[in-house]
Amino acid sequence: MSPDIIKAEVLKDHKLLITFENNEVKIFDMTYYFKYPIFKPLEKKEEFEKFSIVDGTIEWKCGAELSNDTFYIAGED
């Protein structure tokens, strides 16, 4: 099981700087996920920036979310 997300910041080009509870920091690129309808609204910067950390993962206002495992495993150091 991957560590929970405790902090996330928006970077340019639809990337997130994510801090996990074990103090690891990773960069996660969301552009791959825009091919799925639930993530389409996040192509707009205003929507991409509207997220919360809920139960250790990131959830967007539009309803899109990924597991903390996905952010942790696919994130780049």
Side-chain angles (χ1 to χ4, degrees):
M1 187 170 177
S2 300
D4 286 345
I5 294 169
I6 58 170
K7 182 179 175 186
E9 298 174 40
V10 174
L11 301 176
K12 65 180 181 175
D13 300 325
H14 294 95
K15 293 181 181 176
L16 296 167
L17 181 66
I18 301 173
T19 304
F20 295 88
E21 65 183 349
N22 64 356
N23 291 319
E24 284 187 70
V25 178
K26 297 190 177 205
I27 295 174
F28 189 85
D29 185 349
M30 283 296 299
T31 55
Y32 169 81
Y33 297 91
F34 294 160
K35 65 183 177 181
Y36 302 108
I38 187 71
F39 295 102
K40 275 290 193 193
L42 302 182
E43 289 181 304
K44 295 180 182 172
K45 185 178 183 220
E46 308 80 48
E47 289 300 315
F48 187 68
E49 294 175 344
K50 294 178 185 175
F51 67 84
S52 301
I53 297 172
V54 179
D55 295 328
T57 194
I58 297 170
E59 293 181 7
W60 281 269
K61 189 174 181 180
C62 68
E65 65 178 297
L66 292 168
S67 72
N68 60 322
D69 291 328
T70 301
F71 289 114
Y72 189 75
I73 294 166
E76 297 178 12
D77 294 330

